[in-house]
Amino acid sequence: MARTSAETAVANGGVPGAVPSDTEPQLISGGHLVAKALKAEGIDTIFTLCGGHIIDIYDGCVDEGIEVIDVRHEQVAAHAADGYARVTGRAGCAVVTAGPGTTDAVTGVANALRAESPMLLIGGQGASSQHKMGSLQDLPHVDMMAPITKFAATVPATARVADLVSMAFRECYAGAPGPSFLEIPRDVLDGRIPLEQARIPQAGRYRATTRSAGDPSAIVRLADLLTQSQKPAILLGSQVWTTRGTDAAAELVRTLNIPAYMNGAGRGTLPPGDPHHFHLSRRYAFDNADVIVIVGTPFDFRMGYGRRLPATATVVQIDLDYRTVGKNRDIDLGIVGDPGLVLASVTAASGTDNGAAGRKAWLEELRMVEGKARDKRAPQLLSDASPIHPYRLVHEINEFLTEDSIYIGDGGDVVTFSGQVVQPKSPGHWMDPGPLGTLGVGIPFVLAAKHARPDKEVVALFGDGAFSLTGWDFETLVRFNLPFVGIVGNNSSMNQIRYGQARKYGVGRERVGNTLGDVHYDEFAKMLGGYGEEVRDPRDIAPALRRARESGKPSLINVWIDPDAYAPGTMNQTMYK
Ligand SMILES: Cc1ncc(C[n+]2csc(CCOP(=O)(O)OP(=O)(O)O)c2C)c(N)n1
Ligand SMILES: [Mg+2]
């Protein structure tokens, strides 16, 4: 009987992938070297869609105890690797075949680049012995990937496989994190070499931490600025979570009594209800602040390219990436470093005589502005209208979340609504695509989050358009028994785009290229072995969500929402300004 790979490893004194022989040296293949290198990086899972070019990596994963999660589209594999990195704090890994497998994964890699998420995509390639001969699925992958990765290379020889993997991970952490790409020609991957010929970097010994606490003199300057400030405001962006600096950020704002606003993955750094957590008064705070500290988020479209910050305020920017600091808008002080370390150093440097009590009136002022904004929109949040107002839907979702719910938003207008209302209750419990604005991240992020953190509840809100892009991998969630609560805000349209068309070309000319069918996503969920329900009455939202939670299955609650209600962010077309 043929030996399994694991049995072979045992027969070889625990050398995985080695071929037993008394006379010959122990041999190891490229795929097994990949698995060893992934393990050294702490990776316990790869996301993949199979292909003949890459199967030796799977065989290596069997020996190294790395789980193989097989999906239905390579875009899903790449987004899942991105999501895995966000949830675990370790790099994610997707493995895809040559040609169309790799091109399908491009969007996921691009999303990770803009979101500063560390991940490695490994793509197959035709045998190097057939280089440029027209082999099956041959494409110039490295050229295609170079502009959207921090590192893209071909592995030239089997002996170098693990070495190149370690290099790719090292590059993932240069400055702000991001994706790397490696293509491995089939003969390099399948080739077997004597074990001692391979360079196999050992865990914890092939790369150093790149964390830096910033220029000490800049830290002292920022501590002075904040100590003397009457009306400071701080924006905690995604890098605060990426670098796991959330405790340091919370300690700074509490010690110095500074109002905090959060965006991207920085949401949840402080829980809603915390005296320093603000979200509806950001414009007012920035307009009136004397010191504004922007942490780990660029002056991109989400920040109006920095133009909305008043010239009167002293603006400080802290970022992992020197290229982000001072880009698009002049700043008064820039600090390049790890946000958590920088903020902890600032707290320490500010001492006890830090003027915290003097900022009480400022916080009270903002709390009043916040309260007024909340009162103004309260009727919409509680609207009993049918079809359901999207505000009511996102309000019900916000009420439904617990401290252990990771919230994922994937869609256009409906997710713009949720950004105003849904407040994650814990750090790292908010996932959105990031500045690439990629529709379709939802199901892959659910896959990554629930797999990496089975102890957490995952709640995802989809637009019907967004869900359709990667929705077939709902089946993967069923297959791997990964329950979650899914909600489709169904307006049978790509509504965010429709609004722009109506504005630009007039109502009556807006129904072009944006209309979806009235699809029963609840039935789709049931067909694939999940739980499904549809909701038309707003009072049924909460009970349906609870039943989805209790079902213990991947679920989709199909909520028919009003296609003629648009989010303020959509109506202001802020993303294009
Ligand atoms: C991959 C991708 N394709 C297209 C877009 C452009 N886009 C932005 S919002 C949107 C509409 C999304 O529709 P849906 O998910 O149903 O949300 P709705 O606006 O209807 O609430 C589209 C197509 C995008 N951001 N990403
Ligand atoms: Mg829609």
Side-chain angles (χ1 to χ4, degrees):
M1 205 174 77
R3 273 177 171 158
T4 65
S5 192
E7 285 164 351
T8 306
V10 171
N12 284 283
V15 180
V19 174
S21 162
D22 294 337
T23 52
E24 307 245 325
Q26 289 180 333
L27 300 178
I28 187 160
S29 71
H32 286 256
L33 286 165
V34 168
K36 279 186 170 299
L38 294 181
K39 191 158 185 200
E41 187 63 30
I43 286 174
D44 56 24
T45 304
I46 60 166
F47 300 94
T48 187
L49 196 154
C50 63
H53 294 79
I54 52 173
I55 49 179
D56 200 57
I57 297 177
Y58 297 175
D59 197 57
C61 286
V62 171
D63 281 356
E64 298 298 334
I66 295 173
E67 196 166 348
V68 176
I69 297 208
D70 46 330
V71 298
R72 290 171 167 263
H73 193 296
E74 288 88 352
Q75 181 182 352
V76 172
H79 285 316
D82 169 357
Y84 174 97
R86 300 183 194 205
V87 173
T88 63
R90 300 189 301 274
C93 181
V95 177
V96 297
T97 197
T102 300
T103 56
D104 273 358
V106 165
T107 302
V109 173
N111 194 69
L113 180 79
R114 289 291 304 272
E116 301 179 341
S117 188
M119 62 166 279
L120 172 63
L121 179 75
I122 299 178
Q125 177 58 296
S128 52
S129 61
Q130 294 158 12
H131 185 54
K132 298 223 181 274
M133 288 173 67
S135 69
L136 176 70
Q137 296 169 224
D138 185 9
L139 275 180
H141 305 127
V142 173
D143 294 343
M144 284 165 25
M145 290 292 180
I148 55 166
T149 52
K150 297 170 80 72
F151 178 80
T154 305
V155 181
T158 307
R160 299 288 312 288
V161 166
D163 189 26
L164 262 294
V165 171
S166 72
M167 264 184 213
F169 283 124
R170 200 177 294 123
E171 297 291 342
C172 283
Y173 294 97
S180 288
F181 171 73
L182 284 178
E183 70 167 14
I184 312 183
R186 204 190 47 71
D187 47 359
V188 171
L189 194 72
D190 287 346
R192 288 169 173 269
I193 54 160
L195 193 58
E196 65 274 11
Q197 280 179 19
R199 162 153 164 69
I200 308 180
Q202 297 300 304
R205 297 186 60 196
Y206 59 83
R207 63 180 183 88
T209 171
T210 53
R211 297 177 77 202
S212 120
D215 179 342
S217 65
I219 300 289
V220 171
R221 236 185 106 195
L222 178 51
D224 287 347
L225 276 174
L226 289 173
T227 301
Q228 283 154 30
S229 160
Q230 302 293 307
K231 297 184 167 192
I234 191 164
L235 179 65
L236 303 171
S238 293
Q239 287 181 4
V240 174
W241 170 247
T242 306
T243 58
R244 301 303 188 263
T246 47
D247 285 351
E251 200 188 336
L252 174 96
V253 301
R254 286 172 185 152
T255 308
L256 282 122
N257 205 17
I258 300 173
Y261 298 82
M262 289 150 268
N263 77 1
R267 284 164 174 259
T269 298
L270 298 174
D274 185 286
H276 295 94
H277 173 294
F278 291 86
H279 75 119
L280 295 174
S281 55
R282 188 171 111 178
R283 175 62 74 85
Y284 180 93
F286 284 178
D287 282 351
N288 293 285
D290 55 7
V291 176
I292 300 173
V293 185
I294 305 293
V295 190
T297 194
F299 292 130
D300 63 14
F301 70 97
R302 296 168 299 180
M303 291 288 296
Y305 303 102
R307 289 181 211 133
R308 293 188 209 128
L309 301 184
T312 46
T314 300
V315 175
V316 182
Q317 194 176 16
I318 301 166
D319 205 278
L320 283 164
D321 190 341
Y322 74 94
R323 294 171 303 179
T324 296
V325 176
K327 184 169 133 178
N328 299 337
R329 187 204 189 278
D330 284 4
I331 48 167
D332 298 283
L333 174 63
I335 302 178
V336 177
D338 177 284
L341 282 181
V342 169
L343 296 179
S345 309
V346 172
T347 309
S350 67
T352 45
D353 190 14
N354 59 28
R359 292 184 274 276
K360 194 163 167 263
W362 170 233
L363 267 83
E364 283 167 4
E365 185 181 335
L366 294 175
R367 195 54 73 196
M368 267 180 52
V369 175
E370 194 98 357
K372 274 191 194 145
R374 183 164 294 129
D375 291 349
K376 199 171 149 205
R377 69 173 197 190
Q380 284 173 302
L381 262 59
L382 302 172
S383 162
D384 275 334
S386 180
I388 293 168
H389 197 289
Y391 262 134
R392 175 70 187 263
L393 171 61
V394 295
H395 168 70
E396 296 291 348
I397 294 172
N398 189 43
E399 296 286 302
F400 179 73
L401 297 184
T402 70
E403 279 181 4
D404 282 318
S405 309
I406 296 178
Y407 174 79
I408 295 166
D410 178 17
D413 192 60
V414 69
V415 167
T416 307
F417 272 111
S418 87
Q420 289 180 282
V421 176
V422 175
Q423 298 293 328
K425 318 289 183 249
S426 308
H429 284 49
W430 172 279
M431 295 173 80
D432 64 29
L436 197 66
T438 314
L439 299 180
V441 297
I443 286 287
F445 281 3
V446 172
L447 175 62
K450 190 65 189 174
H451 170 71
R453 294 301 303 267
D455 54 319
K456 295 282 176 188
E457 174 176 75
V458 177
V459 177
L461 172 64
F462 306 92
D464 50 331
F467 179 82
S468 311
L469 281 156
T470 50
W472 269 106
D473 269 288
F474 188 93
E475 187 278 328
T476 305
L477 297 168
V478 174
R479 193 162 19 100
F480 283 89
N481 189 25
L482 297 169
F484 81 108
V485 178
I487 306 111
V488 180
N490 196 342
N491 47 26
S492 309
S493 305
M494 304 275 198
N495 232 24
Q496 193 156 58
I497 308 308
R498 178 179 154 230
Y499 180 81
Q501 290 168 286
R503 251 266 297 264
K504 224 167 165 180
Y505 308 109
V507 177
R509 295 182 68 89
E510 98 282 17
R511 274 285 176 201
V512 182
N514 55 40
T515 305
L516 303 165
D518 294 337
V519 177
H520 290 258
Y521 294 93
D522 48 320
E523 296 295 335
F524 179 75
K526 286 193 250 180
M527 178 186 85
L528 295 174
Y531 181 81
E533 263 192 65
E534 74 168 345
V535 173
R536 292 184 188 273
D537 184 325
R539 284 165 299 200
D540 293 336
I541 299 171
L545 293 179
R546 282 197 294 272
R547 285 190 290 271
R549 174 182 276 159
E550 282 154 18
S551 75
K553 292 181 179 179
S555 65
L556 287 179
I557 305 299
N558 185 51
V559 182
W560 299 100
I561 54 170
D562 185 355
D564 293 321
Y566 295 102
T570 298
M571 289 196 279
N572 292 331
Q573 298 276 286
T574 38
M575 57 285 209
Y576 304 121
K577 284 183 178 160

